[in-house]
Amino acid sequence: MDNHPHLLVSITAHGFGHVAQVAPVINALRELVPELQLTVHSAVPLTHLRSRIRGPFEYLRESGDIGMVMSSAMDVRVTESAVAYQTLHHEWGIKVGNEARALKEIAPDFVLSNVGYLPLAAAHLAGIPCAALCSLNWADVYAHYCGRLSGAHHVIEQIGHAYGHAEAFLQPAPSMPMLDLPNRIALGPVAETGISRRAEIVQLLGLTGDEKLVLVSLGGVAGRLPMEDWPRIPGVRWLVSANWHVSHPDAVVLESLEMDFRDLLASADALICKPGYGSFVEAACNGVPVLFVSRDDWPETPYLTDWLQTNALSQQVTRTQLESGNFGAELEWLWSRPASTPVRPTGVAQAADWLAGRLLAWS
């Protein structure tokens, strides 16, 4: 048996929530398999991957899937997405064969995908065991937006076969049902928790300690909020990413604090976000209230919001409210309620244990 089992992980770049699902599992897996050799196949920036995945890994900057073509963090370009899928699936067998040959050269013992299906189809063809881990799958998402278009049935069938050939499709709670997949395995929530460093932040920013710190994040998908138009709310500071270039007088560039994002989240009084697995579950596991915008067209939304409203303190606002900053009353309501009990991310150990068993069996 090889003393250095080799895992290849393919991670979609369609938002940072996919990294938030995979990274805790990989970090836990490394504790179970210290000699693990890791290759990460993703278009997610290396800096972000290194901020989440502990230990060394080989980085292949490639896109493992399409996801959906977006015009903003909340808007899907349906026509462009349909064209992209039709292009990918043209001469599908040839593309799977090319990917299988590339995998054989890399020679991993196991392939884990979140949640591209081409790597799974290629691994199956190459005879390399594989599994998926995600709260959604692209067959269901594509069918939701493009299922009635010409040729869609053929695309959905090929995606479904790719997922179905994997040893398992690991579903961290909360997930879409995915009832068409016979190999699904339900897990608990997956997230990594942070450490509150509020006292340090108060000192760094020269605050009195009575201010509210609100983290504003759209989960890594391109786009920003027009925060310049937001009114000032006395005693509230907004923690925002540097690449938004926000000029609001109460905005603080979160990178200037030089702290891990999870610690910033754990130090915050609220998170403002769109529906997304990483945002919702990490906030719930850190006991942080969530103010989120409605996003009714995204098929994963009802499952995420139902879980959040059951397991954490949250409040929904409209997109108009979010863009205008007219949600002061909703924030005050969140802060008037008793704090919620942090959720335990039990799915991390479940997924790591399953992967360790399979990886060591095949290496």
Side-chain angles (χ1 to χ4, degrees):
M1 180 181 292
D2 189 346
N3 291 326
H4 298 279
H6 184 187
L7 175 67
L8 184 144
V9 181
S10 178
I11 309 174
T12 178
H14 192 270
F16 289 160
H18 298 273
V19 179
Q21 288 179 356
V22 173
V25 174
I26 300 307
N27 294 336
L29 178 63
R30 273 205 154 122
E31 296 181 6
L32 299 175
V33 188
E35 65 278 13
L36 180 71
Q37 178 185 349
L38 180 64
T39 297
V40 178
H41 175 284
S42 181
V44 172
L46 180 58
T47 52
H48 184 74
L49 292 170
R50 283 183 171 158
S51 75
R52 289 282 185 159
I53 299 174
R54 295 193 290 270
F57 57 86
E58 186 74 20
Y59 177 54
L60 301 177
R61 185 175 173 79
E62 299 176 28
S63 177
D65 63 354
I66 297 168
M68 296 300 288
V69 181
M70 310 291 293
S71 59
S72 73
M74 292 182 284
D75 299 301
V76 175
R77 290 186 177 272
V78 176
T79 301
E80 289 90 335
S81 297
V83 170
Y85 274 90
Q86 290 293 342
T87 301
L88 175 62
H89 284 263
H90 179 65
E91 297 184 332
W92 173 247
I94 294 175
K95 289 168 182 170
V96 173
N98 291 339
E99 188 79 5
R101 282 188 289 275
L103 275 180
K104 286 181 178 180
E105 290 184 8
I106 299 170
D109 296 301
F110 201 93
V111 172
L112 176 67
S113 181
N114 186 315
V115 63
Y117 52 90
L118 178 57
L120 297 173
H124 177 72
L125 181 62
I128 301 171
C130 60
L133 164 68
C134 197
S135 58
L136 57 78
N137 71 76
W138 295 127
D140 289 344
V141 176
Y142 171 83
H144 176 79
Y145 288 104
C146 307
R148 295 178 181 175
L149 301 178
S150 176
H153 176 75
H154 188 57
V155 171
I156 295 168
E157 186 176 63
Q158 289 179 331
I159 300 175
H161 284 161
Y163 287 136
H165 284 147
E167 285 196 23
F169 196 113
L170 306 176
Q171 289 180 284
S175 282
M176 294 176 67
M178 299 188 258
L179 299 179
D180 291 337
L181 296 178
N183 55 348
R184 62 191 186 279
I185 297 176
L187 306 175
V190 169
E192 280 193 331
T193 56
I195 299 170
S196 178
R197 301 175 63 181
R198 186 181 185 85
E200 295 174 62
I201 296 174
V202 168
Q203 184 175 10
L204 284 169
L205 298 181
L207 306 179
T208 65
D210 296 328
E211 291 89 351
K212 298 292 188 181
L213 301 176
V214 180
L215 183 58
V216 186
S217 174
L218 294 181
V221 177
R224 69 189 293 276
L225 293 171
M227 293 181 64
E228 291 78 10
D229 300 331
W230 287 9
R232 300 187 72 177
I233 301 178
V236 174
R237 297 295 183 99
W238 314 107
L239 304 181
V240 298
S241 176
N243 61 19
W244 281 20
H245 304 289
V246 172
S247 61
H248 193 286
D250 298 321
V252 176
V253 174
L254 57 88
E255 288 87 351
S256 69
L257 299 174
E258 298 183 344
M259 295 182 184
D260 187 280
F261 183 87
R262 287 155 292 187
D263 292 347
L264 289 171
L265 176 59
S267 306
D269 294 289
L271 170 68
I272 294 179
C273 63
K274 66 176 178 62
Y277 189 96
S279 299
F280 279 15
V281 178
E282 287 187 348
C285 290
N286 281 284
V288 176
V290 178
L291 187 74
F292 66 96
V293 64
S294 55
R295 191 189 179 194
D296 295 336
D297 71 306
W298 186 250
E300 189 187 15
T301 294
Y303 308 103
L304 293 175
T305 56
D306 286 351
W307 182 88
L308 181 71
Q309 291 168 341
T310 300
N311 291 278
L313 184 58
S314 66
Q315 182 65 280
Q316 179 172 304
V317 296
T318 67
R319 186 164 177 174
T320 299
Q321 283 182 282
L322 186 67
E323 292 177 346
S324 66
N326 183 26
F327 46 73
E330 285 77 9
L331 280 177
E332 289 298 334
W333 182 86
L334 287 174
W335 293 327
S336 72
R337 310 299 296 171
S340 60
T341 301
V343 174
R344 292 181 58 242
T346 55
V348 175
Q350 291 172 326
D353 288 345
W354 188 91
L355 282 168
R358 303 313 298 146
L359 187 64
L360 293 174
W362 285 99
S363 62

